[in-house]
């Protein structure tokens, strides 16, 4: 088997459904499997997977074992030569895996490959490519100076070597994953992707950012960015520094001060809403019960090539459109003011979307 797609889920049933549907389209011509590990969700995630995706291998944990352990459980059962560690709040393009297989087979000494991630508003996510977050670099970032934190030497659409990639999408050989021992289970959530990336670099492999394919990462779905998030995140960074950097009194003091400063400066974010003034729906037809819930006036069109006004909600119908075209259109139209996006999965009775990296997205049933 060529590829195992590993999806760790926790209470994001509707985003997971959209994700799996996009993955199924992307592996249609690849010998591949999809493994979903559920970390004891309280929603209908497991029932949905069993009903809609009988070919997906579902692992139901009886506790929330965290990101690292959950993924390790899935990888242990994977049969693919390659792994794709994938968040459930993502949408992959139909040609994403094909492009990565071609690129991977052209490289020797391959570590992790990450790709161009965009958020639910079509904006590029700079964490798609990062440098090693040394204490000095991280302290500067806390104070608002991101130079040196992100790998800005590689342009968004280009490809090149980087040190650190993001756990929402990680592509690598299972052999390499096993050589470094997979995700370190000392990390419950956050920091484990930085740790795995750095372990693989230290083991002598080359990590790459691959900007020739884009994946939507809605963010804010599996966890909310609140005070508890801050505590876990900076706790994870403390584990990382103790593990990978030489310790001394001055070093420990700098790390401690940096973490405490970051916790002090972090605030529970307020929800900021964009209120669209109209709806543009890319579909052949739409049920009246859904159209009635969307901002007025609404307009149904069949071509995403059409121009739209600012302050609009765009609804993409995957019964008509393919993910690669949707992603390209999002990146283009995101340059306009107050544009928000919603997605109607194929054969589904809901639309969803996310306008914020720090708050849960919206699911609208009809």
């Amino acid at each position: 088997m060529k590829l195992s797609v590993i999806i760790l889920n926790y209470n994001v049933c509707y985003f997971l459904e959209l994700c799996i549907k996009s993955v199924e389209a992307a592996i249609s011509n690849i010998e591949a499997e999809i493994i979903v590990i559920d970390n004891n969700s309280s929603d209908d995630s497991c029932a949905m997977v069993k009903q809609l995706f009988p070919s997906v291998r579902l692992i139901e944990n009886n506790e929330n074992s965290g990101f690292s352990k959950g993924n390790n459980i899935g990888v242990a059962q994977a049969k693919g030569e390659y792994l794709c560690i994938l968040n459930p709040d993502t949408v992959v393009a139909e040609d994403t895996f094909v492009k990565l297989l071609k690129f991977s087979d052209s490289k020797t000494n391959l570590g992790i490959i990450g790709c161009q991630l965009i958020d639910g508003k079509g904006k590029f996510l700079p964490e798609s490519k990062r440098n090693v977050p040394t204490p000095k670099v991280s302290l500067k970032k806390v104070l608002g100076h991101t130079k040196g934190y992100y790998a800005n030497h590689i342009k968004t659409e280009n490809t090149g070597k980087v040190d650190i990639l993001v756990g929402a999408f990680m592509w690598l050989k299972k052999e390499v994953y096993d050589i470094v021992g997979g995700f370190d289970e000392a990390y419950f959530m956050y920091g484990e992707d930085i740790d795995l990336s750095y372990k693989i670099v230290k083991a002598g492999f080359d990590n790459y950012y691959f900007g020739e394919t884009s994946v939507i990462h809605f963010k804010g779905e599996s966890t909310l960015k609140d005070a508890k998030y801050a505590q876990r995140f900076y706790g994870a960074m403390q584990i990382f520094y103790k593990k990978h950097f030489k310790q001394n009194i001055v070093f420990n003091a700098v790390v401690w001060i940096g973490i405490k400063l970051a916790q002090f400066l972090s605030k529970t974010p307020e929800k900021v809403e964009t209120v669209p003034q109209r709806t543009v729906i890319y579909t052949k037809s739409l049920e009246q019960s859904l159209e009635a819930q969307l901002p007025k006036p609404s307009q149904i069109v069949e071509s995403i090539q059409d121009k739209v006004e600012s302050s609009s909600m765009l609804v993409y119908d995957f019964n008509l459109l393919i993910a690669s075209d949707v992603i390209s259109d999002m990146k283009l139209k995101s340059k306009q003011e107050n544009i928000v996006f919603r997605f109607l999965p194929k054969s589904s009775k809901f639309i969803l979307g996310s306008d914020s990296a720090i708050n849960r997205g919206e699911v609208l049933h009809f």
Side-chain angles (χ1 to χ4, degrees):
M1 184 171 289
K2 198 70 176 176
L3 172 64
S4 297
V5 182
I6 311 295
I7 305 172
L8 179 67
N9 177 71
Y10 182 65
N11 284 333
V12 286
C13 176
Y14 298 105
F15 285 89
L16 175 64
E17 180 177 334
L18 176 59
C19 175
I20 296 176
K21 286 178 176 177
S22 76
V23 171
E24 286 190 329
I27 64 173
S28 60
N29 295 314
I30 302 171
E31 187 184 2
E33 64 179 350
I34 303 172
I35 300 175
V36 172
I37 310 95
D38 185 81
N39 261 350
N40 199 28
S41 294
S42 58
D43 64 7
D44 295 326
S45 293
C46 292
M48 180 275 295
V49 172
K50 291 174 184 177
Q51 179 182 354
L52 299 182
F53 307 103
S55 64
V56 169
R57 189 185 309 179
L58 175 64
I59 301 171
E60 298 181 66
N61 291 339
N62 57 13
E63 63 177 355
N64 183 357
S65 55
F67 185 91
S68 294
K69 187 174 181 179
N71 275 292
N72 287 344
I73 288 171
V75 172
Q77 296 196 27
K79 300 176 182 177
E81 175 187 357
Y82 288 96
L83 304 171
C84 180
I85 307 296
L86 187 66
N87 265 30
D89 55 347
T90 57
V91 178
V92 299
E94 291 78 10
D95 59 357
T96 292
F97 297 148
V98 173
K99 285 183 176 180
L100 286 170
L101 281 172
K102 183 178 179 180
F103 179 78
S104 299
D105 289 342
S106 71
K107 297 295 179 183
T108 57
N109 206 47
L110 183 67
I112 303 173
I113 305 175
C115 66
Q116 183 184 156
L117 299 179
I118 63 171
D119 64 16
K121 295 193 73 175
K123 303 292 186 181
F124 174 70
L125 292 169
E127 62 264 32
S128 300
K129 47 185 176 71
R130 290 172 287 178
N131 299 313
V132 178
T134 63
K136 181 179 179 180
V137 167
S138 296
L139 186 58
K140 286 183 177 179
K141 185 176 183 296
V142 167
L143 298 174
H145 305 288
T146 59
K147 184 178 180 180
Y149 187 82
Y150 299 116
N152 293 326
H153 62 285
I154 303 173
K155 293 183 179 179
T156 303
E157 307 291 334
N158 292 352
T159 296
K161 293 181 182 180
V162 297
D163 288 325
I164 307 299
L165 298 159
V166 64
F169 186 102
M170 286 182 151
W171 173 282
L172 70 162
K173 286 190 173 183
K174 185 176 186 297
E175 177 185 15
V176 173
Y177 190 95
D178 291 338
I179 286 173
V180 299
F183 286 113
D184 186 339
E185 295 180 12
Y187 300 87
F188 180 83
M189 187 177 291
Y190 313 115
E192 63 285 303
D193 51 354
I194 298 173
D195 183 83
L196 181 63
S197 298
Y198 195 43
K199 284 196 300 184
I200 286 176
V201 168
K202 288 172 70 175
F205 296 98
D206 298 320
N207 292 342
Y208 286 89
Y209 166 77
F210 185 75
E212 297 174 33
T213 188
S214 300
V215 169
I216 302 170
H217 179 210
F218 291 106
K219 300 190 66 175
E221 300 313 315
S222 296
T223 182
L224 297 179
K225 305 299 187 289
D226 54 14
K228 191 173 183 179
Y229 156 83
Q231 182 179 5
R232 282 182 173 173
F233 179 81
Y234 296 113
M237 294 312 299
Q238 199 162 22
I239 295 172
F240 178 76
Y241 293 136
K242 287 181 178 179
K243 178 177 177 180
H244 292 291
F245 290 88
K246 187 176 180 180
Q247 305 288 300
N248 58 52
I249 294 176
V250 174
F251 175 90
N252 291 338
V254 170
V255 170
W256 185 85
I257 291 170
I259 289 172
K260 293 300 179 183
L261 180 62
Q263 291 174 326
F264 175 76
L265 293 176
S266 65
K267 298 178 180 179
T268 300
E270 297 180 1
K271 187 172 183 178
V272 179
E273 294 187 358
T274 300
V275 182
Q277 299 174 3
R278 63 189 63 81
T279 305
V280 178
I281 309 160
Y282 298 112
T283 185
K284 290 182 178 178
S285 62
L286 194 71
E287 292 195 20
Q288 292 183 349
S289 59
L290 173 58
E291 191 174 359
Q293 301 180 66
L294 300 174
K296 301 291 187 297
S298 61
Q299 176 187 9
I300 295 178
V301 296
E302 293 186 29
S303 174
I304 59 176
Q305 306 301 324
D306 295 348
K307 293 182 179 180
V308 299
E309 298 181 57
S310 296
S311 300
S312 295
M313 173 182 287
L314 310 187
V315 180
Y316 296 111
D317 182 354
F318 282 103
N319 293 287
L320 174 70
L321 303 169
I322 61 173
S324 55
D325 288 344
V326 168
I327 291 169
S328 296
D329 192 61
M330 288 177 65
K331 290 164 67 175
L332 179 65
K333 290 188 169 74
S334 68
K335 299 173 184 177
Q336 295 180 234
E337 187 176 358
N338 294 330
I339 296 287
V340 298
F341 304 101
R342 296 294 181 267
F343 308 85
L344 172 57
K346 189 174 182 179
S347 304
S348 295
K349 292 289 185 179
F350 62 88
I351 63 171
L352 54 74
S354 178
D355 306 328
S356 169
I358 58 176
N359 292 289
R360 289 277 169 86
E362 178 184 67
V363 179
L364 184 63
H365 298 269
F366 60 97

